[in-house]
């Protein structure tokens, strides 16, 4: 996807993975191997903001809803770059998650945008965009 | 069980797949695997040899052994199923190539050879944690969806239906007072709607669930092949536009099955215009349970396949 949100996704997860509250990756990494050697060693301060990435609280809320829907064990890793499909979400799970997000944040997600969400970060970014529009 | 897909340098001998004739027009073949029945790590490793490097990568990306196994079995099922339909050449499951159409629907990428005419084969897969299924047709597109009968819905069913289903469907579900029956009817409706959208192949957003209604209609059909031309009552599944109910897209036919006493399976195929004929032609259906390279069991007409809707001939 050639959207701005798409571009920012590649960069922000690298910085968010250094946040102390994040659970470190367990087992197989599900981060696409994009090598930005100059960025990996920098903690949270280095962040190219092409579009506004979601607040950590929003990402956390999304993670919680995803965990609940998929009944994931407490020790399983769910972070911003977790892909719904890789967590085991099928189409009904995805729609239930979208509905849960709509209820939690008081927004409506159109089918087109719901279809373009593949990671937790995607969902969080979209939610904040809609909340911003609402607030404006 | 530590499952990890890795390419093997040598290939262990696998028994050949039993070759099959393509389905005839208006016929659907349904194949399914029950992952719990596949326990051999050696067999799973052999399946992983059939996958492309890209597919193996996708399998490894899944979180946890069970999800990896499910993803692996899904790819193995698609590859081995399509390879069974020998047309004019021996098809190797490993050498099949896949691509997505402009809407993202997976299809086979046949090799562009002068001597080779690709078979008019269509397929669609669906999986839940406890069943992986693949439907195959010729000439016409197919969509299938599988859900476990016991699946619990986390949201309130009526709230969910009001958000995503058509007003007609909400009315039908609301009228069901027993919550367990309501849940079951919800899941059946979901699988039928999913199967329709997948058959159309344009993605969830092109045909939002709210814009169409699926319902059952009592139908009398004449069974010419049974002695005495007997007439039997069957329940036809129809789809109509929410805004314009009289505009019935009647070129689609559905099957709703209960398979292995544990799953609802919905199948949607386009009616073959070339074959034509009477309006309520049954869908010929052959259902097989498989563990590729180990066993294939035809379960059509047995207790393993219960027809809940649609005019089906097994």
């Amino acid at each position: 996807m050639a959207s701005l949100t798409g571009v920012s996704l590649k960069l922000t997860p690298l910085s968010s993975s250094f946040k102390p509250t994040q659970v470190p990756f367990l087992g197989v990494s599900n981060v696409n191997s994009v090598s930005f050697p100059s960025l990996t060693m920098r903690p949270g301060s280095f962040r190219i903001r092409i579009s506004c990435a979601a607040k950590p609280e929003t990402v956390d809320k999304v993670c919680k809803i995803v965990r609940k829907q998929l009944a994931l064990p407490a020790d399983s890793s769910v972070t911003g770059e977790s892909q719904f499909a890789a967590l085991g979400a099928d189409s009904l799970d995805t729609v239930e998650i979208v509905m849960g997000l709509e209820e939690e944040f008081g927004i409506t997600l159109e089918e087109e945008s719901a279809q373009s969400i593949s990671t937790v970060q995607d969902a969080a970014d979209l939610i904040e965009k809609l909340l911003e529009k609402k607030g404006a | 069980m530590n499952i990890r897909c890795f390419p093997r340098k040598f290939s262990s001998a696998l028994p050949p797949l039993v070759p099959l004739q393509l389905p005839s027009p208006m016929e659907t073949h349904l194949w399914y695997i029950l992952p719990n029945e596949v326990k051999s790590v050696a067999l799973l490793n052999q399946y992983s040899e059939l996958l492309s490097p890209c597919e193996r990568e996708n399998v490894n990306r899944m979180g946890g052994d069970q999800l990896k196994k499910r993803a692996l079995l899904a790819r193995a099922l698609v590859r081995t199923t399509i390879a069974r339909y020998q047309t004019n050449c021996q098809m190797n499951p490993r050498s099949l190539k896949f691509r997505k159409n402009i809407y993202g629907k997976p299809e086979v990428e046949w090799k562009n050879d002068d001597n080779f005419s690709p078979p008019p084969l269509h397929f669609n897969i669906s999986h839940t944690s406890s069943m992986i299924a693949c439907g195959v047709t010729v000439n016409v597109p197919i969509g299938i969806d599988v859900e476990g009968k016991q699946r619990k819905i986390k949201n309130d069913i009526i709230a969910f239906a009001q958000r995503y289903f058509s007003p007609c469907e909400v009315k039908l579900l609301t009228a069901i007072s027993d919550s367990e029956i309501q849940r079951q009817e919800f899941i059946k409706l979901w699988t039928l709607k999913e199967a329709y959208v997948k058959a159309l192949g344009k993605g969830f957003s092109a045909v939002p669930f709210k814009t169409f209604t699926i319902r059952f209609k009592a139908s009398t059909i004449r069974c010419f092949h049974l002695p005495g031309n007997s007439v039997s009552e069957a329940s036809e599944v129809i789809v109509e536009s929410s805004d314009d109910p009289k505009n019935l897209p009647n070129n689609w036919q559905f099957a709703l099955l209960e398979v292995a006493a544990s799953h609802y399976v919905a199948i949607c195929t386009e009616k073959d215009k070339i074959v034509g004929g009477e309006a309520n032609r049954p869908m010929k259906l052959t259902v097989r349970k498989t563990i590729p390279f180990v066993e294939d069991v035809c379960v059509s007409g047995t207790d393993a396949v219960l027809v809940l809707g649609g005019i089906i001939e097994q």
Side-chain angles (χ1 to χ4, degrees), chain B residues 38-101:
Chain B
V38 183
K39 299 203 225 293
S40 157
V41 178
L43 185 60
L44 290 169
N45 286 333
Q46 286 176 324
Y47 289 156
S48 92
E49 284 182 61
L50 302 175
L51 271 50
S52 69
C54 194
E55 288 171 340
R56 267 195 287 267
E57 222 179 271
N58 285 337
V59 169
N60 285 332
R61 223 177 273 153
M62 301 298 282
D65 278 353
Q66 287 313 307
L67 292 179
K68 285 188 174 70
K69 182 179 171 185
R70 200 208 300 185
L72 170 58
L73 290 176
R75 294 319 301 165
L77 179 63
V78 176
R79 284 180 171 274
T80 55
T81 299
I82 292 171
R84 292 171 194 271
Y85 297 103
Q86 310 294 338
T87 46
N88 43 14
C89 68
Q90 184 88 11
M91 275 191 275
N92 185 339
R94 194 178 296 123
S95 60
L96 285 168
K97 287 204 191 330
F98 295 90
R99 62 168 178 226
K100 295 197 171 151
N101 74 4

Side-chain angles (χ1 to χ4, degrees), chain B residues 165-166 168-170 172 185 188-197 209-217 236-242 249 252 254 256 266-268:
Chain B
F165 285 7
S166 74
C168 198
E169 290 165 340
V170 175
L172 189 131
E185 293 307 309
K188 289 179 195 172
L189 201 45
W190 172 272
T191 58
L192 284 164
K193 289 172 87 77
E194 264 287 284
Y196 176 58
V197 172
F209 272 22
K210 246 191 212 298
T211 61
F212 64 93
T213 295
I214 288 191
R215 58 186 184 84
F216 292 82
K217 184 179 122 184
E236 201 187 343
V237 179
I238 57 169
V239 59
E240 54 196 25
S241 155
S242 299
W252 298 95
F254 294 85
L256 180 66
I267 302 172
C268 176

Side-chain angles (χ1 to χ4, degrees), chain B residues 130-174:
Chain B
S130 40
M131 181 184 282
I132 300 162
C134 180
V136 179
T137 48
V138 293
N139 301 335
V140 293
I142 175 173
I144 72 168
D145 191 54
V146 179
E147 293 296 344
K149 265 181 75 179
Q150 299 305 320
R151 187 182 183 132
K152 295 286 177 277
I153 308 300
K154 305 289 193 302
N155 291 286
D156 172 68
I157 285 176
I158 298 304
F160 186 106
Q162 278 167 338
R163 172 67 182 86
Y164 290 107
F165 285 7
S166 74
C168 198
E169 290 165 340
V170 175
K171 209 163 140 197
L172 189 131
L173 286 170
T174 311

Side-chain angles (χ1 to χ4, degrees), chain A residues 28 86 90-91 93 96 102 115, chain B residues 60 63 151 155 163 194 205:
Chain A
V28 178
D90 62 15
S91 52
D93 286 315
E96 287 222 77
E102 289 182 329
Q115 222 181 318
Chain B
N60 285 332
R151 187 182 183 132
N155 291 286
R163 172 67 182 86
E194 264 287 284
S205 61

